[in-house]
Amino acid sequence: MPTVSDFVIRRIREWGVSRVFGFPGDGIGEFDGALGKAQRDEDGLDYVRPTHEEICALMATAHAKFTGEVGVCIATSSPGGFHMLNGLYDAKMDNQPVVAIVGQQGLNALGTSNQQASHLERTFSDVAVYVQTVLSPEQAQAVVDTAFRTARIKLGPAVIILPHDVQGMEFSPLTPENWVSRSSAVAPSTAICPPEDDIKRAASIINAGKKVTFLVGHGANGATDEVLEAAKKAGAGIITALRGKQVVPADVPFHSQQLGLLGSLPSYNQMKDCDTLVMLGTNYPYGQFLPKSGQARAIQVDLKPEQMGLRYPTELNLWGDVKTTLDALIPHLEAKTDLAWQDKVANEMVEWENEMEAQATLTFDDGVNPRRVFFELNKRLPATAIVTADAGTTADWYGHHIRLQRGMLGDLSGRLATMLAAMPYATSAKFAHSERPVICTIGDGAFQMLGMNELITVKKYMKQWQNPQLIIVVLHNNDLEQVSWEMRTEDANPVWSTSQDVESIDYAGWAELLGFTGIRVRTDDEVPAAWDRAFATQGVTLIDAYTSRNVPPLPPHITLEFAENTGEALLKHDPHTVEVIKDTAKAVVTEGVERVKGKLHIGDDDKRES
């Protein structure tokens, strides 16, 4: 007779899942035993066990991002479940379908202060779109199906709690019975289209606009052709949120990449001047970079209705899938004949790319220019590359210099912006697309968190990958650099070395210890050859790039507050004042020269602040 665990494993497969990310423990022991039996019988799941439960949850989230499937992670009771929380919040805040299966002590232990018994439903109630403990075999089917269905529809993590004794109880086919739900492993369609009247109203708003901007997020994934067709008819410029990079190819001339502190000047100018804003599958959180209230008529299209009209006062909210909605909208759009707005965006992007190249080719006395690392990577990206970026200045350089072409993938922890995610994201990408080259870009602070551990996971599993090429570049500057700059620019505080310094480690040596290729880069001239060698290596390569900690992540538009706070922080005896002044001066001068060369428009605010 099959057990509840046997049934749950079979049901997970019926939901289209073939791979799970788990870490064992006694609270989930019966279920783990069933996983092992199913795998031996060749009827189980591909079980990946990294080095920490947090990594399990981050890998499940990344799997959802890179495949569109439901990611599944498994952990034992209290400590294991608690460790998964950060990764589950990543899924929640980036709207990803994930199901977590968490062990629990036996039913009789609940509420008795037993070891590792805690109120898990209460713990997961904030992060989960659905959380439920399975209390009997008859309940298991409905709980599993509801968890998967809810994760898909509400785009977030669902949690199934399995007490240890319930895991081993016998499971019988369900019969008609009061209080017993007989459910199905069938997901509802999310190809939702708004009513025709709303579609026509949206078209009339866009048709009336003379300066239309599309702000495109990861929620538009799979709708690349529709986004481009609509933008061409509307004469629109396109901005992508950081997680929407892969949606719009970089070679589209009127795609001005990202917005905000790690965005481009053409994107800033679009938001400053547009008269119509169309938000497609994005919950872009930085309202200070959106148009002034009343400046632009705005439309938002999203599958998350609670997030519509939240960042900007929209005139029309369309609850729908971006691809399906645009399919219905495009026939109603009038083809613009005046493309001056779109051409302006394209021309400014040419000038911006020149500025980014000039910034990347600067040299500094205190280490490799981190921009150069990303600039040279971008020139060498294979057609099927997957790039992951970490939080911090890694994300700045990713936004400024990585240009994803059609067919490439790239992602990071978005709204949560948790450190260390780049490494489990990259490893998860290798499991999901083992034939593709994957490049992980990560800072030394994040790499020391759990990233170094995950090289052990890579060593354990890389033989399963069709193409073993995985490249990790560590920005080795011995500093939690993003926070250091935030201390200066946001709070006018000098860097506090006690909190900010990162112990220097031979990261290339650590890779070599595990049998991988390690490359040390100490000068800018060594960067191109390092990338060439890494891409020529059919295996795992770690590039240990000794970068400057003082290169400023300059926003495209420097505000007076940014400049004043930085100056005040340096006057308070910042330990790196001399290097920061030298490196910042070089970067700012280069920025000014390039903008004069490009004859970019400089508004009154820019004149005053310069």
Side-chain angles (χ1 to χ4, degrees):
M1 181 69 71
T3 66
V4 168
S5 292
D6 295 327
F7 166 76
V8 172
I9 293 165
R10 185 171 72 251
R11 203 63 163 184
I12 290 172
R13 289 186 62 87
E14 290 174 6
W15 274 98
V17 174
S18 59
R19 178 176 299 113
V20 298
F21 304 93
F23 203 94
D26 67 328
I28 195 71
E30 189 78 36
F31 186 75
D32 285 341
L35 281 169
K37 178 180 179 298
Q39 198 169 70
R40 289 191 297 274
D41 294 341
E42 298 183 353
D43 190 34
L45 297 160
D46 180 14
Y47 181 87
V48 177
R49 201 222 75 192
T51 61
H52 195 280
E53 293 93 348
E54 181 177 353
I55 299 297
C56 293
L58 287 168
M59 291 180 80
T61 300
H63 181 86
K65 289 181 176 182
F66 287 126
T67 65
E69 301 171 357
V70 177
V72 176
C73 50
I74 303 167
T76 189
S77 52
S78 300
F82 299 158
H83 281 162
M84 287 204 301
L85 278 169
N86 193 52
L88 296 181
Y89 271 104
D90 190 36
K92 174 181 180 174
M93 297 181 76
D94 279 352
N95 306 317
Q96 296 303 308
V98 169
V99 171
I101 299 173
V102 183
Q104 175 63 290
Q105 299 306 299
L107 292 175
N108 291 337
L110 301 184
T112 66
S113 300
N114 205 290
Q115 184 184 30
Q116 292 193 346
S118 58
H119 200 317
L120 292 177
E121 287 193 11
R122 186 180 300 158
T123 299
F124 289 107
S125 63
D126 180 65
V127 71
V129 293
Y130 172 81
V131 56
Q132 182 61 52
T133 301
V134 178
L135 300 173
S136 70
E138 291 78 12
Q139 188 193 12
Q141 184 184 89
V143 170
V144 172
D145 290 344
T146 304
F148 275 89
R149 187 179 300 110
T150 307
R152 277 198 171 279
I153 295 303
K154 293 193 174 181
L155 296 174
V159 179
I160 301 168
I161 300 168
L162 282 179
H164 190 277
D165 49 356
V166 176
Q167 295 167 30
M169 291 179 181
E170 291 185 358
F171 182 88
S172 301
L174 300 180
T175 57
E177 186 178 342
N178 190 28
W179 299 335
V180 174
S181 295
R182 289 168 291 149
S183 56
S184 62
V186 179
S189 171
T190 55
I192 300 171
C193 187
E196 180 73 7
D197 287 347
D198 285 347
I199 292 291
K200 290 180 178 178
R201 185 179 167 199
S204 68
I205 293 172
I206 296 171
N207 291 337
K210 298 185 184 306
K211 299 177 179 180
V212 181
T213 289
F214 285 7
L215 178 56
V216 180
H218 191 271
N221 215 27
T224 298
D225 292 337
E226 292 76 13
V227 169
L228 293 180
E229 185 177 354
K232 287 174 182 176
K233 290 190 76 172
I238 298 176
I239 299 170
T240 46
L242 194 58
R243 294 199 56 243
K245 246 185 190 300
Q246 66 183 23
V247 178
V248 181
D251 57 4
V252 173
F254 47 88
H255 172 203
S256 61
Q257 294 290 318
Q258 282 69 70
L259 176 68
L261 295 176
L262 42 65
S264 71
L265 187 60
S267 292
Y268 172 82
N269 288 338
Q270 277 200 73
M271 283 299 175
K272 188 172 64 173
D273 298 332
C274 71
D275 62 18
T276 308
L277 175 63
V278 182
M279 302 171 72
L280 299 171
T282 180
N283 184 28
Y284 181 78
Y286 304 107
Q288 69 269 36
F289 298 108
L290 297 177
K292 295 178 181 178
S293 295
Q295 170 193 316
R297 303 178 72 182
I299 301 167
Q300 189 166 358
V301 181
D302 211 293
L303 279 172
K304 301 277 285 188
E306 68 274 19
Q307 294 181 359
M308 292 194 288
L310 181 63
R311 306 298 181 197
Y312 187 80
T314 48
E315 183 174 336
L316 180 62
N317 292 320
L318 300 178
W319 185 5
D321 164 58
V322 172
K323 180 180 176 68
T324 306
T325 301
L326 289 181
D327 272 336
L329 177 67
I330 287 168
H332 299 282
L333 294 178
E334 300 169 357
K336 292 281 200 307
T337 55
D338 182 359
L339 299 180
W341 170 252
Q342 205 174 63
D343 292 341
K344 176 177 179 289
V345 174
N347 292 335
E348 288 186 359
M349 268 308 288
V350 172
E351 294 157 350
W352 176 257
E353 296 292 33
N354 290 336
E355 181 174 328
M356 289 298 93
E357 181 173 1
Q359 291 285 356
T361 51
L362 289 174
T363 58
F364 301 97
D365 297 334
D366 49 350
V368 173
N369 184 348
R371 290 180 177 272
R372 180 72 179 272
V373 175
F374 282 75
F375 177 76
E376 296 293 345
L377 165 61
N378 186 64
K379 291 198 296 185
R380 292 162 173 79
L381 282 177
T384 59
I386 301 175
V387 184
T388 69
D390 214 82
T393 53
T394 311
D396 292 319
W397 316 136
Y398 172 80
H400 280 166
H401 297 285
I402 297 300
R403 302 290 181 255
L404 299 177
Q405 304 298 334
R406 187 184 285 266
M408 296 180 185
L409 298 174
D411 221 323
L412 74 171
S413 173
R415 201 148 53 97
L416 182 63
T418 182
M419 290 176 66
L420 79 83
M423 192 63 197
Y425 271 37
T427 311
S428 185
K430 285 302 298 184
F431 281 107
H433 304 285
S434 71
E435 76 286 358
R436 291 187 176 216
V438 175
I439 303 96
C440 168
T441 64
I442 191 167
D444 50 2
F447 196 58
Q448 284 191 14
M449 278 181 158
L450 286 172
M452 294 178 72
N453 287 14
E454 280 314 287
L455 280 185
I456 300 171
T457 304
V458 171
K459 182 176 178 64
K460 179 179 179 181
Y461 288 102
M462 61 179 293
K463 291 179 181 178
Q464 298 181 12
W465 299 336
Q466 181 180 333
N467 170 8
Q469 189 171 73
L470 170 64
I471 303 171
I472 303 103
V473 59
V474 179
L475 301 187
H476 186 164
N477 57 22
N478 305 327
D479 182 33
L480 299 175
E481 187 180 8
Q482 182 77 3
V483 180
S484 292
W485 277 102
E486 288 169 346
M487 291 177 75
R488 297 175 181 126
T489 62
E490 294 181 10
D491 303 315
N493 283 323
V495 165
W496 184 33
S497 297
T498 302
S499 71
Q500 297 308 109
D501 286 356
V502 174
E503 183 68 20
S504 185
I505 301 292
D506 182 2
Y507 302 107
W510 169 237
E512 290 165 346
L513 182 65
L514 292 171
F516 305 141
T517 300
I519 303 175
R520 297 163 183 83
V521 175
R522 291 187 169 87
T523 69
D524 293 87
D525 292 341
E526 295 173 336
V527 174
W531 282 117
D532 289 340
R533 182 182 170 193
F535 280 115
T537 302
Q538 287 303 304
V540 179
T541 304
L542 188 146
I543 299 176
D544 190 352
Y546 289 75
T547 54
S548 168
R549 69 195 296 169
N550 300 308
V551 176
L554 291 176
H557 174 78
I558 299 176
T559 66
L560 188 60
E561 180 185 20
F562 181 101
E564 286 181 343
N565 284 347
T566 304
E568 185 178 342
L570 297 178
L571 290 174
K572 293 177 180 176
H573 306 293
D574 188 288
H576 307 286
T577 293
V578 174
E579 293 85 358
V580 168
I581 290 175
K582 288 170 60 178
D583 293 358
T584 301
K586 188 176 286 191
V588 170
V589 168
T590 301
E591 177 185 271
V593 168
E594 290 303 316
R595 292 186 187 182
V596 170
K597 282 183 183 177
K599 298 180 182 179
L600 289 177
H601 171 71
I602 300 178
D604 292 338
D605 289 345
D606 301 89
K607 291 176 181 176
R608 176 173 58 83
E609 290 162 15
S610 61

